[in-house]
Every structure is written in C-alpha cells, then in structure tokens.
PDB file of all heavy atoms in Angstrom:
ATOM      1  N   SER A   1     115.891 100.077  55.850  1.00 98.00           N
ATOM      2  CA  SER A   1     116.878  99.814  54.873  1.00 98.00           C
ATOM      3  C   SER A   1     117.301  98.361  54.722  1.00 98.00           C
ATOM      4  O   SER A   1     118.213  97.961  53.883  1.00 98.00           O
ATOM      5  CB  SER A   1     118.194 100.475  55.184  1.00 98.00           C
ATOM      6  OG  SER A   1     118.822 100.034  56.428  1.00 98.00           O
ATOM      7  N   HIS A   2     116.458  97.406  55.244  1.00 98.00           N
ATOM      8  CA  HIS A   2     116.740  96.066  55.181  1.00 98.00           C
ATOM      9  C   HIS A   2     115.495  95.074  55.381  1.00 98.00           C
ATOM     10  O   HIS A   2     114.913  94.993  56.522  1.00 98.00           O
ATOM     11  CB  HIS A   2     117.816  95.595  56.134  1.00 98.00           C
ATOM     12  CG  HIS A   2     118.281  94.171  56.054  1.00 98.00           C
ATOM     13  ND1 HIS A   2     119.679  93.914  55.901  1.00 98.00           N
ATOM     14  CD2 HIS A   2     117.728  92.923  55.981  1.00 98.00           C
ATOM     15  CE1 HIS A   2     119.844  92.560  55.817  1.00 98.00           C
ATOM     16  NE2 HIS A   2     118.631  91.983  55.859  1.00 98.00           N
ATOM     17  N   ALA A   3     114.908  94.637  54.306  1.00 98.00           N
ATOM     18  CA  ALA A   3     113.606  93.738  54.425  1.00 98.00           C
ATOM     19  C   ALA A   3     113.744  92.815  53.272  1.00 98.00           C
ATOM     20  O   ALA A   3     114.110  93.035  52.195  1.00 98.00           O
ATOM     21  CB  ALA A   3     112.397  94.697  54.337  1.00 98.00           C
ATOM     22  N   HIS A   4     113.187  91.572  53.535  1.00 98.00           N
ATOM     23  CA  HIS A   4     112.950  90.509  52.648  1.00 98.00           C
ATOM     24  C   HIS A   4     111.468  90.301  52.561  1.00 98.00           C
ATOM     25  O   HIS A   4     110.856  89.509  53.215  1.00 98.00           O
ATOM     26  CB  HIS A   4     113.632  89.282  53.135  1.00 98.00           C
ATOM     27  CG  HIS A   4     115.068  89.415  53.445  1.00 98.00           C
ATOM     28  ND1 HIS A   4     116.101  88.873  52.768  1.00 98.00           N
ATOM     29  CD2 HIS A   4     115.719  89.946  54.571  1.00 98.00           C
ATOM     30  CE1 HIS A   4     117.289  89.097  53.366  1.00 98.00           C
ATOM     31  NE2 HIS A   4     117.023  89.797  54.440  1.00 98.00           N
ATOM     32  N   LEU A   5     110.675  90.914  51.655  1.00 98.00           N
ATOM     33  CA  LEU A   5     109.179  90.864  51.624  1.00 98.00           C
ATOM     34  C   LEU A   5     108.818  90.029  50.547  1.00 98.00           C
ATOM     35  O   LEU A   5     107.544  89.537  50.536  1.00 98.00           O
ATOM     36  CB  LEU A   5     108.688  92.262  51.421  1.00 98.00           C
ATOM     37  CG  LEU A   5     108.999  93.316  52.399  1.00 98.00           C
ATOM     38  CD1 LEU A   5     108.101  94.449  52.268  1.00 98.00           C
ATOM     39  CD2 LEU A   5     108.948  92.853  53.918  1.00 98.00           C
ATOM     40  N   VAL A   6     109.751  89.451  49.562  1.00 98.00           N
ATOM     41  CA  VAL A   6     109.161  88.655  48.436  1.00 98.00           C
ATOM     42  C   VAL A   6     109.320  87.281  48.810  1.00 98.00           C
ATOM     43  O   VAL A   6     110.497  86.793  48.548  1.00 98.00           O
ATOM     44  CB  VAL A   6     109.834  89.006  47.150  1.00 98.00           C
ATOM     45  CG1 VAL A   6     109.101  88.336  45.886  1.00 98.00           C
ATOM     46  CG2 VAL A   6     109.797  90.615  46.903  1.00 98.00           C
ATOM     47  N   PHE A   7     108.285  86.608  49.370  1.00 97.00           N
ATOM     48  CA  PHE A   7     108.347  85.145  49.723  1.00 97.00           C
ATOM     49  C   PHE A   7     107.032  84.566  49.746  1.00 97.00           C
ATOM     50  O   PHE A   7     105.986  85.311  49.743  1.00 97.00           O
ATOM     51  CB  PHE A   7     109.109  85.096  51.009  1.00 97.00           C
ATOM     52  CG  PHE A   7     108.365  85.634  52.154  1.00 97.00           C
ATOM     53  CD1 PHE A   7     107.373  84.873  52.895  1.00 97.00           C
ATOM     54  CD2 PHE A   7     108.686  86.947  52.520  1.00 97.00           C
ATOM     55  CE1 PHE A   7     106.741  85.501  53.979  1.00 97.00           C
ATOM     56  CE2 PHE A   7     107.914  87.513  53.658  1.00 97.00           C
ATOM     57  CZ  PHE A   7     106.988  86.759  54.343  1.00 97.00           C
ATOM     58  N   ALA A   8     106.951  83.249  49.994  1.00 97.00           N
ATOM     59  CA  ALA A   8     105.740  82.539  50.090  1.00 97.00           C
ATOM     60  C   ALA A   8     105.840  81.708  51.366  1.00 97.00           C
ATOM     61  O   ALA A   8     107.028  81.263  51.699  1.00 97.00           O
ATOM     62  CB  ALA A   8     105.326  81.729  48.936  1.00 97.00           C
ATOM     63  N   GLY A   9     104.737  81.291  52.168  1.00 94.00           N
ATOM     64  CA  GLY A   9     104.769  80.450  53.190  1.00 94.00           C
ATOM     65  C   GLY A   9     105.196  81.198  54.478  1.00 94.00           C
ATOM     66  O   GLY A   9     105.378  82.462  54.434  1.00 94.00           O
ATOM     67  N   ASP A  10     105.295  80.444  55.574  1.00 92.00           N
ATOM     68  CA  ASP A  10     105.985  81.033  56.686  1.00 92.00           C
ATOM     69  C   ASP A  10     106.774  79.928  57.464  1.00 92.00           C
ATOM     70  O   ASP A  10     106.840  78.863  56.984  1.00 92.00           O
ATOM     71  CB  ASP A  10     104.865  81.523  57.694  1.00 92.00           C
ATOM     72  CG  ASP A  10     103.981  80.557  58.417  1.00 92.00           C
ATOM     73  OD1 ASP A  10     104.457  79.428  58.580  1.00 92.00           O
ATOM     74  OD2 ASP A  10     102.756  80.899  58.714  1.00 92.00           O
ATOM     75  N   ARG A  11     107.482  80.250  58.540  1.00 92.00           N
ATOM     76  CA  ARG A  11     108.358  79.368  59.145  1.00 92.00           C
ATOM     77  C   ARG A  11     107.905  79.376  60.715  1.00 92.00           C
ATOM     78  O   ARG A  11     108.819  79.437  61.574  1.00 92.00           O
ATOM     79  CB  ARG A  11     109.696  79.537  58.830  1.00 92.00           C
ATOM     80  CG  ARG A  11     110.131  79.035  57.571  1.00 92.00           C
ATOM     81  CD  ARG A  11     111.213  79.797  56.874  1.00 92.00           C
ATOM     82  NE  ARG A  11     112.418  79.914  57.597  1.00 92.00           N
ATOM     83  CZ  ARG A  11     113.422  80.652  57.207  1.00 92.00           C
ATOM     84  NH1 ARG A  11     113.285  81.517  56.204  1.00 92.00           N
ATOM     85  NH2 ARG A  11     114.511  80.721  57.919  1.00 92.00           N
ATOM     86  N   ALA A  12     106.631  79.408  61.062  1.00 91.00           N
ATOM     87  CA  ALA A  12     106.187  79.516  62.434  1.00 91.00           C
ATOM     88  C   ALA A  12     106.688  78.339  63.268  1.00 91.00           C
ATOM     89  O   ALA A  12     107.152  78.420  64.391  1.00 91.00           O
ATOM     90  CB  ALA A  12     104.704  79.611  62.498  1.00 91.00           C
ATOM     91  N   ALA A  13     106.616  77.153  62.558  1.00 89.00           N
ATOM     92  CA  ALA A  13     107.111  75.936  63.396  1.00 89.00           C
ATOM     93  C   ALA A  13     108.629  76.045  63.673  1.00 89.00           C
ATOM     94  O   ALA A  13     109.101  75.557  64.816  1.00 89.00           O
ATOM     95  CB  ALA A  13     106.830  74.619  62.516  1.00 89.00           C
ATOM     96  N   GLU A  14     109.456  76.590  62.733  1.00 90.00           N
ATOM     97  CA  GLU A  14     110.787  76.890  63.010  1.00 90.00           C
ATOM     98  C   GLU A  14     111.032  77.796  64.103  1.00 90.00           C
ATOM     99  O   GLU A  14     111.879  77.534  65.044  1.00 90.00           O
ATOM    100  CB  GLU A  14     111.531  77.280  61.787  1.00 90.00           C
ATOM    101  CG  GLU A  14     112.906  77.669  61.870  1.00 90.00           C
ATOM    102  CD  GLU A  14     113.533  78.426  60.667  1.00 90.00           C
ATOM    103  OE1 GLU A  14     113.227  78.028  59.663  1.00 90.00           O
ATOM    104  OE2 GLU A  14     114.269  79.420  60.927  1.00 90.00           O
ATOM    105  N   PHE A  15     110.220  78.812  64.204  1.00 90.00           N
ATOM    106  CA  PHE A  15     110.265  79.698  65.367  1.00 90.00           C
ATOM    107  C   PHE A  15     110.042  79.102  66.764  1.00 90.00           C
ATOM    108  O   PHE A  15     110.728  79.139  67.671  1.00 90.00           O
ATOM    109  CB  PHE A  15     109.278  80.916  65.220  1.00 90.00           C
ATOM    110  CG  PHE A  15     109.208  81.762  66.276  1.00 90.00           C
ATOM    111  CD1 PHE A  15     110.113  82.773  66.583  1.00 90.00           C
ATOM    112  CD2 PHE A  15     108.070  81.858  67.138  1.00 90.00           C
ATOM    113  CE1 PHE A  15     110.012  83.640  67.606  1.00 90.00           C
ATOM    114  CE2 PHE A  15     107.987  82.562  68.253  1.00 90.00           C
ATOM    115  CZ  PHE A  15     108.913  83.579  68.488  1.00 90.00           C
ATOM    116  N   ALA A  16     109.018  78.219  66.611  1.00 91.00           N
ATOM    117  CA  ALA A  16     108.511  77.609  67.883  1.00 91.00           C
ATOM    118  C   ALA A  16     109.616  76.620  68.341  1.00 91.00           C
ATOM    119  O   ALA A  16     110.013  76.531  69.445  1.00 91.00           O
ATOM    120  CB  ALA A  16     107.245  76.748  67.736  1.00 91.00           C
ATOM    121  N   ALA A  17     110.368  75.949  67.371  1.00 88.00           N
ATOM    122  CA  ALA A  17     111.398  75.065  67.743  1.00 88.00           C
ATOM    123  C   ALA A  17     112.496  75.771  68.322  1.00 88.00           C
ATOM    124  O   ALA A  17     113.253  75.386  69.322  1.00 88.00           O
ATOM    125  CB  ALA A  17     111.868  74.329  66.545  1.00 88.00           C
ATOM    126  N   ARG A  18     112.906  77.057  67.743  1.00 89.00           N
ATOM    127  CA  ARG A  18     113.886  77.928  68.337  1.00 89.00           C
ATOM    128  C   ARG A  18     113.615  78.314  69.789  1.00 89.00           C
ATOM    129  O   ARG A  18     114.482  78.264  70.783  1.00 89.00           O
ATOM    130  CB  ARG A  18     114.168  79.196  67.483  1.00 89.00           C
ATOM    131  CG  ARG A  18     115.014  78.882  66.328  1.00 89.00           C
ATOM    132  CD  ARG A  18     115.640  80.226  65.803  1.00 89.00           C
ATOM    133  NE  ARG A  18     114.645  81.216  65.655  1.00 89.00           N
ATOM    134  CZ  ARG A  18     113.968  81.391  64.476  1.00 89.00           C
ATOM    135  NH1 ARG A  18     114.156  80.580  63.559  1.00 89.00           N
ATOM    136  NH2 ARG A  18     113.110  82.443  64.381  1.00 89.00           N
ATOM    137  N   MET A  19     112.385  78.607  70.046  1.00 91.00           N
ATOM    138  CA  MET A  19     111.921  78.974  71.333  1.00 91.00           C
ATOM    139  C   MET A  19     112.013  77.795  72.270  1.00 91.00           C
ATOM    140  O   MET A  19     112.117  78.034  73.551  1.00 91.00           O
ATOM    141  CB  MET A  19     110.517  79.597  71.215  1.00 91.00           C
ATOM    142  CG  MET A  19     110.353  80.830  70.595  1.00 91.00           C
ATOM    143  SD  MET A  19     111.498  82.250  70.971  1.00 91.00           S
ATOM    144  CE  MET A  19     112.810  82.173  69.800  1.00 91.00           C
ATOM    145  N   ALA A  20     111.995  76.580  71.782  1.00 91.00           N
ATOM    146  CA  ALA A  20     112.119  75.428  72.619  1.00 91.00           C
ATOM    147  C   ALA A  20     113.511  75.002  72.784  1.00 91.00           C
ATOM    148  O   ALA A  20     113.838  74.029  73.465  1.00 91.00           O
ATOM    149  CB  ALA A  20     111.356  74.300  72.015  1.00 91.00           C
ATOM    150  N   GLY A  21     114.443  75.751  72.133  1.00 89.00           N
ATOM    151  CA  GLY A  21     115.972  75.533  72.461  1.00 89.00           C
ATOM    152  C   GLY A  21     116.791  75.209  71.217  1.00 89.00           C
ATOM    153  O   GLY A  21     118.056  75.081  71.287  1.00 89.00           O
ATOM    154  N   GLU A  22     116.263  75.098  70.015  1.00 85.00           N
ATOM    155  CA  GLU A  22     117.077  74.733  68.874  1.00 85.00           C
ATOM    156  C   GLU A  22     117.777  75.925  68.434  1.00 85.00           C
ATOM    157  O   GLU A  22     117.193  77.045  68.403  1.00 85.00           O
ATOM    158  CB  GLU A  22     116.213  74.224  67.698  1.00 85.00           C
ATOM    159  CG  GLU A  22     115.724  72.778  67.976  1.00 85.00           C
ATOM    160  CD  GLU A  22     115.018  72.140  66.757  1.00 85.00           C
ATOM    161  OE1 GLU A  22     115.153  72.734  65.659  1.00 85.00           O
ATOM    162  OE2 GLU A  22     114.253  71.150  66.878  1.00 85.00           O
ATOM    163  N   PRO A  23     119.161  75.924  68.044  1.00 81.00           N
ATOM    164  CA  PRO A  23     119.805  77.049  67.615  1.00 81.00           C
ATOM    165  C   PRO A  23     119.406  77.374  66.244  1.00 81.00           C
ATOM    166  O   PRO A  23     118.983  76.661  65.348  1.00 81.00           O
ATOM    167  CB  PRO A  23     121.268  76.541  67.596  1.00 81.00           C
ATOM    168  CG  PRO A  23     121.163  75.137  67.437  1.00 81.00           C
ATOM    169  CD  PRO A  23     119.904  74.728  68.112  1.00 81.00           C
ATOM    170  N   TYR A  24     119.709  78.741  65.968  1.00 75.00           N
ATOM    171  CA  TYR A  24     119.324  79.298  64.628  1.00 75.00           C
ATOM    172  C   TYR A  24     120.748  79.150  63.720  1.00 75.00           C
ATOM    173  O   TYR A  24     121.777  79.466  64.191  1.00 75.00           O
ATOM    174  CB  TYR A  24     119.015  80.753  64.663  1.00 75.00           C
ATOM    175  CG  TYR A  24     118.920  81.418  63.191  1.00 75.00           C
ATOM    176  CD1 TYR A  24     117.837  81.128  62.418  1.00 75.00           C
ATOM    177  CD2 TYR A  24     119.849  82.244  62.733  1.00 75.00           C
ATOM    178  CE1 TYR A  24     117.577  81.560  61.190  1.00 75.00           C
ATOM    179  CE2 TYR A  24     119.609  82.863  61.468  1.00 75.00           C
ATOM    180  CZ  TYR A  24     118.638  82.512  60.722  1.00 75.00           C
ATOM    181  OH  TYR A  24     118.503  82.962  59.511  1.00 75.00           O
ATOM    182  N   THR A  25     120.613  78.512  62.546  1.00 70.00           N
ATOM    183  CA  THR A  25     121.732  78.421  61.771  1.00 70.00           C
ATOM    184  C   THR A  25     121.539  78.982  60.396  1.00 70.00           C
ATOM    185  O   THR A  25     122.548  79.040  59.514  1.00 70.00           O
ATOM    186  CB  THR A  25     122.045  76.885  61.509  1.00 70.00           C
ATOM    187  OG1 THR A  25     120.903  76.341  60.826  1.00 70.00           O
ATOM    188  CG2 THR A  25     122.185  76.175  62.769  1.00 70.00           C
ATOM    189  N   GLY A  26     120.344  79.512  60.107  1.00 63.00           N
ATOM    190  CA  GLY A  26     120.109  80.075  58.763  1.00 63.00           C
ATOM    191  C   GLY A  26     119.668  79.055  57.757  1.00 63.00           C
ATOM    192  O   GLY A  26     119.321  79.442  56.556  1.00 63.00           O
ATOM    193  N   GLY A  27     119.686  77.671  58.103  1.00 66.00           N
ATOM    194  CA  GLY A  27     119.305  76.654  57.225  1.00 66.00           C
ATOM    195  C   GLY A  27     117.913  76.653  56.764  1.00 66.00           C
ATOM    196  O   GLY A  27     117.708  76.159  55.631  1.00 66.00           O
ATOM    197  N   GLY A  28     116.994  77.287  57.481  1.00 84.00           N
ATOM    198  CA  GLY A  28     115.721  77.329  57.045  1.00 84.00           C
ATOM    199  C   GLY A  28     115.308  78.224  55.853  1.00 84.00           C
ATOM    200  O   GLY A  28     114.285  78.181  55.261  1.00 84.00           O
ATOM    201  N   ILE A  29     116.229  78.975  55.390  1.00 87.00           N
ATOM    202  CA  ILE A  29     116.079  79.699  54.156  1.00 87.00           C
ATOM    203  C   ILE A  29     115.632  78.840  53.028  1.00 87.00           C
ATOM    204  O   ILE A  29     114.771  79.297  52.196  1.00 87.00           O
ATOM    205  CB  ILE A  29     117.376  80.575  53.744  1.00 87.00           C
ATOM    206  CG1 ILE A  29     117.737  81.561  54.941  1.00 87.00           C
ATOM    207  CG2 ILE A  29     117.427  81.200  52.446  1.00 87.00           C
ATOM    208  CD1 ILE A  29     119.064  82.336  54.831  1.00 87.00           C
ATOM    209  N   ARG A  30     116.223  77.659  52.911  1.00 84.00           N
ATOM    210  CA  ARG A  30     115.884  76.867  51.883  1.00 84.00           C
ATOM    211  C   ARG A  30     114.417  76.376  51.730  1.00 84.00           C
ATOM    212  O   ARG A  30     113.723  76.079  50.734  1.00 84.00           O
ATOM    213  CB  ARG A  30     116.872  75.645  51.778  1.00 84.00           C
ATOM    214  CG  ARG A  30     118.245  75.959  51.415  1.00 84.00           C
ATOM    215  CD  ARG A  30     119.114  74.730  51.269  1.00 84.00           C
ATOM    216  NE  ARG A  30     120.431  75.141  50.975  1.00 84.00           N
ATOM    217  CZ  ARG A  30     121.359  75.273  51.807  1.00 84.00           C
ATOM    218  NH1 ARG A  30     121.218  75.239  53.159  1.00 84.00           N
ATOM    219  NH2 ARG A  30     122.644  75.681  51.398  1.00 84.00           N
ATOM    220  N   THR A  31     113.724  76.393  52.940  1.00 87.00           N
ATOM    221  CA  THR A  31     112.307  76.119  53.145  1.00 87.00           C
ATOM    222  C   THR A  31     111.624  77.117  52.402  1.00 87.00           C
ATOM    223  O   THR A  31     110.640  76.869  51.599  1.00 87.00           O
ATOM    224  CB  THR A  31     111.909  75.939  54.592  1.00 87.00           C
ATOM    225  OG1 THR A  31     112.713  74.930  55.262  1.00 87.00           O
ATOM    226  CG2 THR A  31     110.411  75.695  54.826  1.00 87.00           C
ATOM    227  N   THR A  32     111.916  78.369  52.667  1.00 93.00           N
ATOM    228  CA  THR A  32     111.200  79.520  52.050  1.00 93.00           C
ATOM    229  C   THR A  32     111.449  79.585  50.547  1.00 93.00           C
ATOM    230  O   THR A  32     110.612  79.867  49.684  1.00 93.00           O
ATOM    231  CB  THR A  32     111.624  80.884  52.696  1.00 93.00           C
ATOM    232  OG1 THR A  32     111.309  80.773  54.100  1.00 93.00           O
ATOM    233  CG2 THR A  32     110.918  82.086  51.986  1.00 93.00           C
ATOM    234  N   VAL A  33     112.667  79.212  50.146  1.00 94.00           N
ATOM    235  CA  VAL A  33     113.025  79.074  48.704  1.00 94.00           C
ATOM    236  C   VAL A  33     112.011  78.141  47.939  1.00 94.00           C
ATOM    237  O   VAL A  33     111.473  78.517  46.902  1.00 94.00           O
ATOM    238  CB  VAL A  33     114.441  78.707  48.437  1.00 94.00           C
ATOM    239  CG1 VAL A  33     114.692  78.282  46.933  1.00 94.00           C
ATOM    240  CG2 VAL A  33     115.414  79.703  48.854  1.00 94.00           C
ATOM    241  N   GLY A  34     111.799  77.007  48.560  1.00 93.00           N
ATOM    242  CA  GLY A  34     110.882  76.036  47.857  1.00 93.00           C
ATOM    243  C   GLY A  34     109.422  76.592  47.738  1.00 93.00           C
ATOM    244  O   GLY A  34     108.787  76.447  46.617  1.00 93.00           O
ATOM    245  N   ALA A  35     108.888  77.181  48.772  1.00 95.00           N
ATOM    246  CA  ALA A  35     107.660  77.681  48.751  1.00 95.00           C
ATOM    247  C   ALA A  35     107.584  78.937  47.775  1.00 95.00           C
ATOM    248  O   ALA A  35     106.590  79.124  47.044  1.00 95.00           O
ATOM    249  CB  ALA A  35     107.215  78.242  50.161  1.00 95.00           C
ATOM    250  N   THR A  36     108.658  79.646  47.735  1.00 97.00           N
ATOM    251  CA  THR A  36     108.636  80.978  46.852  1.00 97.00           C
ATOM    252  C   THR A  36     108.578  80.462  45.372  1.00 97.00           C
ATOM    253  O   THR A  36     107.955  81.083  44.469  1.00 97.00           O
ATOM    254  CB  THR A  36     109.782  81.889  47.236  1.00 97.00           C
ATOM    255  OG1 THR A  36     109.633  82.221  48.493  1.00 97.00           O
ATOM    256  CG2 THR A  36     109.779  83.097  46.313  1.00 97.00           C
ATOM    257  N   ARG A  37     109.368  79.555  45.008  1.00 97.00           N
ATOM    258  CA  ARG A  37     109.416  78.985  43.719  1.00 97.00           C
ATOM    259  C   ARG A  37     108.107  78.474  43.213  1.00 97.00           C
ATOM    260  O   ARG A  37     107.732  78.553  42.066  1.00 97.00           O
ATOM    261  CB  ARG A  37     110.552  77.953  43.611  1.00 97.00           C
ATOM    262  CG  ARG A  37     111.917  78.375  43.564  1.00 97.00           C
ATOM    263  CD  ARG A  37     112.947  77.290  43.572  1.00 97.00           C
ATOM    264  NE  ARG A  37     114.277  77.714  43.636  1.00 97.00           N
ATOM    265  CZ  ARG A  37     115.373  76.803  43.636  1.00 97.00           C
ATOM    266  NH1 ARG A  37     115.241  75.524  43.637  1.00 97.00           N
ATOM    267  NH2 ARG A  37     116.551  77.279  43.577  1.00 97.00           N
ATOM    268  N   ALA A  38     107.398  77.871  44.176  1.00 97.00           N
ATOM    269  CA  ALA A  38     106.107  77.311  43.807  1.00 97.00           C
ATOM    270  C   ALA A  38     104.982  78.307  43.666  1.00 97.00           C
ATOM    271  O   ALA A  38     103.880  77.987  43.187  1.00 97.00           O
ATOM    272  CB  ALA A  38     105.697  76.207  44.730  1.00 97.00           C
ATOM    273  N   ALA A  39     105.147  79.548  44.218  1.00 97.00           N
ATOM    274  CA  ALA A  39     104.137  80.454  44.297  1.00 97.00           C
ATOM    275  C   ALA A  39     103.792  81.232  42.903  1.00 97.00           C
ATOM    276  O   ALA A  39     104.868  81.405  42.119  1.00 97.00           O
ATOM    277  CB  ALA A  39     104.463  81.496  45.328  1.00 97.00           C
ATOM    278  N   SER A  40     102.734  81.626  42.708  1.00 98.00           N
ATOM    279  CA  SER A  40     102.439  82.513  41.531  1.00 98.00           C
ATOM    280  C   SER A  40     102.893  83.886  41.624  1.00 98.00           C
ATOM    281  O   SER A  40     103.105  84.367  42.797  1.00 98.00           O
ATOM    282  CB  SER A  40     101.002  82.562  41.251  1.00 98.00           C
ATOM    283  OG  SER A  40     100.269  83.237  42.119  1.00 98.00           O
ATOM    284  N   ASP A  41     103.111  84.670  40.635  1.00 98.00           N
ATOM    285  CA  ASP A  41     103.344  86.043  40.759  1.00 98.00           C
ATOM    286  C   ASP A  41     102.385  86.757  41.709  1.00 98.00           C
ATOM    287  O   ASP A  41     102.746  87.586  42.554  1.00 98.00           O
ATOM    288  CB  ASP A  41     103.338  86.710  39.359  1.00 98.00           C
ATOM    289  CG  ASP A  41     104.596  86.328  38.516  1.00 98.00           C
ATOM    290  OD1 ASP A  41     105.448  85.528  38.878  1.00 98.00           O
ATOM    291  OD2 ASP A  41     104.925  87.012  37.525  1.00 98.00           O
ATOM    292  N   GLU A  42     101.059  86.591  41.449  1.00 98.00           N
ATOM    293  CA  GLU A  42     100.177  87.280  42.141  1.00 98.00           C
ATOM    294  C   GLU A  42     100.182  86.861  43.720  1.00 98.00           C
ATOM    295  O   GLU A  42      99.939  87.858  44.625  1.00 98.00           O
ATOM    296  CB  GLU A  42      98.679  87.012  41.583  1.00 98.00           C
ATOM    297  CG  GLU A  42      97.601  87.893  42.252  1.00 98.00           C
ATOM    298  CD  GLU A  42      97.971  89.431  42.399  1.00 98.00           C
ATOM    299  OE1 GLU A  42      98.553  90.000  41.279  1.00 98.00           O
ATOM    300  OE2 GLU A  42      97.916  90.034  43.371  1.00 98.00           O
ATOM    301  N   GLN A  43     100.405  85.688  44.023  1.00 98.00           N
ATOM    302  CA  GLN A  43     100.616  85.367  45.441  1.00 98.00           C
ATOM    303  C   GLN A  43     101.811  86.020  46.065  1.00 98.00           C
ATOM    304  O   GLN A  43     101.688  86.546  47.109  1.00 98.00           O
ATOM    305  CB  GLN A  43     100.795  83.761  45.595  1.00 98.00           C
ATOM    306  CG  GLN A  43      99.565  82.981  45.298  1.00 98.00           C
ATOM    307  CD  GLN A  43      99.841  81.502  45.295  1.00 98.00           C
ATOM    308  OE1 GLN A  43     100.884  81.077  44.709  1.00 98.00           O
ATOM    309  NE2 GLN A  43      99.058  80.793  45.898  1.00 98.00           N
ATOM    310  N   LEU A  44     102.947  86.126  45.369  1.00 98.00           N
ATOM    311  CA  LEU A  44     104.093  86.931  45.880  1.00 98.00           C
ATOM    312  C   LEU A  44     103.763  88.384  45.991  1.00 98.00           C
ATOM    313  O   LEU A  44     104.039  89.039  46.934  1.00 98.00           O
ATOM    314  CB  LEU A  44     105.221  86.691  44.929  1.00 98.00           C
ATOM    315  CG  LEU A  44     105.862  85.345  44.916  1.00 98.00           C
ATOM    316  CD1 LEU A  44     107.019  85.215  43.845  1.00 98.00           C
ATOM    317  CD2 LEU A  44     106.309  84.748  46.283  1.00 98.00           C
ATOM    318  N   ARG A  45     103.065  88.941  44.888  1.00 98.00           N
ATOM    319  CA  ARG A  45     102.693  90.425  45.028  1.00 98.00           C
ATOM    320  C   ARG A  45     101.803  90.624  46.172  1.00 98.00           C
ATOM    321  O   ARG A  45     101.959  91.731  46.811  1.00 98.00           O
ATOM    322  CB  ARG A  45     101.991  90.704  43.719  1.00 98.00           C
ATOM    323  CG  ARG A  45     101.726  92.141  43.532  1.00 98.00           C
ATOM    324  CD  ARG A  45     101.117  92.392  42.136  1.00 98.00           C
ATOM    325  NE  ARG A  45     102.192  92.337  41.095  1.00 98.00           N
ATOM    326  CZ  ARG A  45     102.159  91.312  40.142  1.00 98.00           C
ATOM    327  NH1 ARG A  45     101.339  90.358  40.044  1.00 98.00           N
ATOM    328  NH2 ARG A  45     103.145  91.342  39.224  1.00 98.00           N
ATOM    329  N   ALA A  46     100.763  89.650  46.506  1.00 98.00           N
ATOM    330  CA  ALA A  46      99.932  90.057  47.548  1.00 98.00           C
ATOM    331  C   ALA A  46     100.618  89.984  48.783  1.00 98.00           C
ATOM    332  O   ALA A  46     100.285  90.683  49.794  1.00 98.00           O
ATOM    333  CB  ALA A  46      98.928  88.889  47.580  1.00 98.00           C
TER     334      ALA A  46
END
C-alpha cells in the first residue's frame, strides 16, 4: 500500500554514506527530483 516507483537514477552513494554514519534527513529526495525531471516518459515507464 505504499511505493514510489516513478523515478529516475538511484542514490546508492547516499546509502553508502548512511552506512558510514551520516544521518537520514530526507534531503536526498531533491536529487531524485532532478533526475526524474530530466528523464523521458519511456525511461520512467521502464
């Protein structure tokens, strides 16, 4: 009942940073926003 599947890119580096001790603040959402805006419909659909 809760999923965010329409996006482009990934944030693997952000994940690695968290595992190294950086706290999660939700700020990385804007990174995905930039990638999603730049993607084509077919890239998002895929």
